[in-house]
Amino acid sequence: GPTTVTLNSLPLDEVPLYARAGAIVPLGPVVQSTAQLPEGPLEVQVYGGADGQFVLTEDDGESLGYKRGELRHTTFEWNDTTATLTWNVTGNFSDSHIFVEFEATLFRPNGDRQKTLLTKLGRTGALHFGFYGFFGQRNAVVMG
């Protein structure tokens, strides 16, 4: 809805990010082409304040195999009440182009953030974010 946000103390070399509460945003490393993926872990940003879901679809990035169902889908789900990020991987695609590990960062509505350690991306799993260990940086605004 119509909301006004005033950021008075934002450094000039930073750009604020506005995200809907419950948003899950996967970010891959910067590469010149999909042939270079994954080139590092997937970064999953979660914006708290509501439940959310995101489906990441991966293929080889080169062929028409996706038309034959050669895909991998990773469904990330955020449960805001339990502060838990779960994932479930489906599909038969597997080669050197898939992400096998990730780091997750939770941005809370008050601006605090909490980052996990590198995590293996197995077929299923869950990460629970506790209520301690915040970095206290406020460069994200979660919109309700």
Side-chain angles (χ1 to χ4, degrees):
T3 302
T4 301
V5 177
T6 304
L7 300 173
N8 294 324
S9 62
L10 188 68
L12 293 176
D13 61 343
E14 292 185 18
V15 177
L17 171 69
Y18 299 94
R20 181 181 302 273
I24 299 173
V25 181
L27 301 171
V30 176
V31 295
Q32 294 298 314
S33 77
T34 57
Q36 295 176 321
L37 287 174
E39 284 296 309
L42 182 68
E43 180 184 345
V44 178
Q45 295 183 348
V46 178
Y47 294 86
D51 293 346
Q53 181 183 32
F54 184 87
V55 179
L56 173 70
T57 301
E58 297 171 280
D59 65 6
D60 65 12
E62 299 171 358
S63 73
L64 298 177
Y66 69 93
K67 289 186 174 184
R68 297 185 299 275
E70 297 170 10
L71 298 168
R72 172 179 146 135
H73 301 282
T74 304
T75 302
F76 291 97
E77 293 187 1
W78 172 250
N79 182 311
D80 201 60
T81 302
T82 62
T84 303
L85 178 67
T86 58
W87 64 92
N88 183 46
V89 177
T90 58
N92 59 0
F93 177 71
S94 179
D95 79 355
S96 63
H97 292 87
I98 64 170
F99 287 98
V100 295
E101 55 190 13
F102 74 101
E103 295 176 321
T105 303
L106 169 62
F107 293 88
R108 296 195 184 265
N110 68 358
D112 289 341
R113 68 180 179 181
Q114 184 178 3
K115 189 169 187 170
T116 65
L117 299 175
L118 200 59
T119 302
K120 294 290 182 190
L121 189 57
R123 297 298 280 183
T124 62
L127 286 175
H128 178 73
F129 288 81
F131 294 100
Y132 304 102
F134 303 119
F135 293 103
Q137 298 182 17
R138 290 183 161 85
N139 58 356
V141 177
V142 179
M143 307 299 284

